[in-house]
Amino acid sequence: MSRELSHEIDELIQVFKAEVEQVQSQQQHRELKEKYFSRRRGICTLLMQRLRDVPPQKKAEAGRLINHFKQTVTQNLDQVSARLKTGREKTVDWTLPPVYRPIGAPHLIERTRTELEDIFIQMGYEVAEGPEMESEYNNFTALNIPAHHPARDEQDTFFIQGREDTVLRTHTSPVQIRYMKSKRPPFKAIFPGKVFRKDEPDATHTPVFHQIEGLLVDCGVNFSHLRGILETFIRAFFGSEIVTRFRPGYFPFTEPSAEIDISCFLCFGRDPECRICKGTGWLEILGSGMVHPKVLENCGIDPEVFSGFAFGMGVDRIAMLRHGVPDLRMFFENDLRFLRQFG
Ligand SMILES: [Zn+2]
């Protein structure tokens, strides 16, 4: 029996090896496994059943032979299974045309924000962010905006229902408050982010828009530092031929305050019909000033020792001016034909 069985198993192994070499798919693998290990008709199963009829003195030898066969089949099937899982390259047809996968691009607002940030980062400014839902104190009171100030009007500000002292921040300035409270001067940082105001959407207003504000506090900081930094920034962003104009302005949180215009980079003041500057030759782009001593005090910074300047600009407005976008709403309508022009 053993010799016969041994011979039979040798043949079975030959047959199996030929079969296993042909396996190219999971389906074929399943079928071959079934052929050898099916509970009722599997070749290995039948061999095991035959072991019952083998005389006791030959049982051990027969069992060894059958086990060897089972192991050979199992190992080979496992190897094929592993090859099928990892060897996908065997099924790649290199002559097929490539699959087209469209690549996305940053939105123009995001790109503009990054460009603006990069200029300040190169000048050593840190980038800091804060929550979009703010306390009324951080958004207004700490910034020297008194209770009766029109900016606090419910018509301008989103208040959070059921939390009367909480607002959607109307500017990124509360991040400056948080920053100043948590740091000791000297420091310089910029604060990019979304801000919210109750505006009816039109060509130049949306209820949510983007700002970048900046802040520098140190000993002996004066207005000429502010001017130097902002002129450097403007030339880096808009070009070296740009001329700046500082006009007196008013903000509750800075004193003195200045609004900054740049010469129109489209017509340089030569086109009375210019679509960007409307013939004035100037574009208003920044608000700025020396940080009000009360604001420093509110943040625990001694205004007798330290002084600083702050500035802010609208990212959406700058993107509109720079790329000649006529309507702010185009940024949010998600018309791919519009967005792809800047991708
Ligand atoms: Zn112009």
Side-chain angles (χ1 to χ4, degrees):
M1 165 71 192
S2 275
R3 193 170 297 152
E4 281 168 32
L5 186 66
S6 159
H7 185 65
E8 192 183 335
I9 284 178
D10 279 347
E11 280 186 353
L12 280 171
I13 287 179
Q14 296 301 319
V15 174
F16 169 74
K17 288 212 162 154
E19 284 173 332
V20 84
E21 271 184 24
Q22 300 297 316
V23 173
Q24 293 297 335
S25 68
Q26 297 286 358
Q27 172 70 17
Q28 290 171 337
H29 181 265
R30 263 196 304 279
E31 284 168 8
L32 194 60
K33 198 170 177 183
E34 185 77 3
K35 180 176 173 183
Y36 283 85
F37 291 106
S38 144
R39 271 203 198 177
R40 290 175 58 199
R41 292 181 293 105
I43 292 172
C44 291
T45 322
L46 295 174
L47 277 173
M48 290 301 281
Q49 284 171 7
R50 276 167 60 190
L51 199 57
R52 269 184 258 149
D53 307 325
V54 175
Q57 68 272 27
K58 295 191 172 173
K59 248 193 176 100
E61 171 67 4
R64 195 186 58 76
L65 285 167
I66 293 170
N67 268 333
H68 168 68
F69 176 65
K70 269 175 73 177
Q71 273 172 14
T72 308
V73 174
T74 309
Q75 278 171 8
N76 276 276
L77 283 172
D78 285 351
Q79 280 169 10
V80 171
S81 174
R83 171 168 65 77
L84 287 172
K85 274 182 195 150
T86 58
R88 293 224 171 95
E89 72 277 11
K90 293 198 172 168
T91 61
V92 172
D93 181 351
W94 297 106
T95 61
L96 287 171
V99 180
Y100 172 64
R101 295 189 199 282
I103 298 170
H107 190 280
L108 183 57
I109 299 284
E110 172 69 15
R111 227 181 70 194
T112 308
R113 195 199 75 182
T114 313
E115 281 176 50
L116 294 167
E117 278 178 16
D118 282 349
I119 295 171
F120 287 102
I121 289 169
Q122 281 171 32
M123 292 197 276
Y125 282 68
E126 189 185 354
V127 179
E129 292 186 359
E132 290 169 5
M133 214 166 92
E134 242 326 338
S135 68
E136 217 180 328
Y137 177 82
N138 280 348
N139 195 76
F140 295 122
T141 315
L143 286 155
N144 200 32
I145 302 173
H148 55 80
H149 195 277
R152 289 197 181 207
D153 198 320
E154 280 195 27
Q155 287 187 339
D156 296 319
T157 306
F158 288 106
F159 285 85
I160 308 296
Q161 212 166 24
R163 294 180 64 174
E164 292 309 312
D165 59 343
T166 311
V167 298
L168 290 183
R169 66 183 181 197
T170 58
H171 44 189
T172 45
S173 310
V175 192
Q176 300 199 31
I177 298 297
R178 286 169 179 270
Y179 187 86
M180 283 194 276
K181 278 181 172 170
S182 67
K183 300 257 178 180
R184 292 177 63 82
F187 48 66
K188 48 185 174 179
I190 51 168
F191 312 92
K194 284 195 188 83
V195 300
F196 307 85
R197 288 184 203 170
K198 266 191 182 172
D199 280 324
E200 281 297 316
D202 65 23
T204 52
H205 297 86
T206 54
V208 49
F209 54 102
H210 304 78
Q211 282 190 335
I212 288 188
E213 295 190 0
L215 171 74
L216 182 148
V217 177
D218 202 345
C219 295
V221 178
N222 61 46
F223 203 87
S224 54
H225 296 123
L226 162 68
R227 187 164 183 160
I229 289 289
L230 290 181
E231 285 186 347
T232 306
F233 156 69
I234 286 165
R235 278 197 294 271
F237 189 80
F238 290 101
S240 54
E241 70 283 9
I242 295 296
V243 180
T244 53
R245 180 173 81 171
F246 282 63
R247 282 182 293 112
Y250 169 75
F251 304 107
F253 32 84
T254 47
E255 179 60 36
S257 306
E259 306 224 30
I260 300 157
D261 302 336
I262 60 169
S263 54
C264 176
F265 49 80
L266 191 66
C267 74
F268 294 95
R270 292 186 207 112
D271 179 4
E273 312 258 286
C274 175
R275 65 184 159 83
I276 296 189
C277 69
K278 311 279 186 278
T280 63
W282 295 99
L283 303 167
E284 190 185 319
I285 58 150
L286 277 154
S288 68
M290 302 306 293
V291 181
H292 199 291
K294 270 194 186 166
V295 176
L296 291 175
E297 246 171 41
N298 289 340
C299 299
I301 296 169
D302 185 352
E304 297 293 323
V305 181
F306 294 104
S307 56
F309 63 75
F311 54 88
M313 64 194 120
V315 179
D316 315 65
R317 178 172 161 74
I318 286 178
M320 278 174 88
L321 288 173
R322 203 183 195 199
H323 298 278
V325 177
D327 193 318
L328 188 54
R329 287 168 293 191
M330 295 171 110
F331 288 132
F332 312 107
E333 282 166 350
N334 290 334
D335 184 335
L336 286 176
R337 292 168 304 175
F338 169 75
L339 295 173
R340 280 189 182 133
Q341 293 177 77
F342 312 104

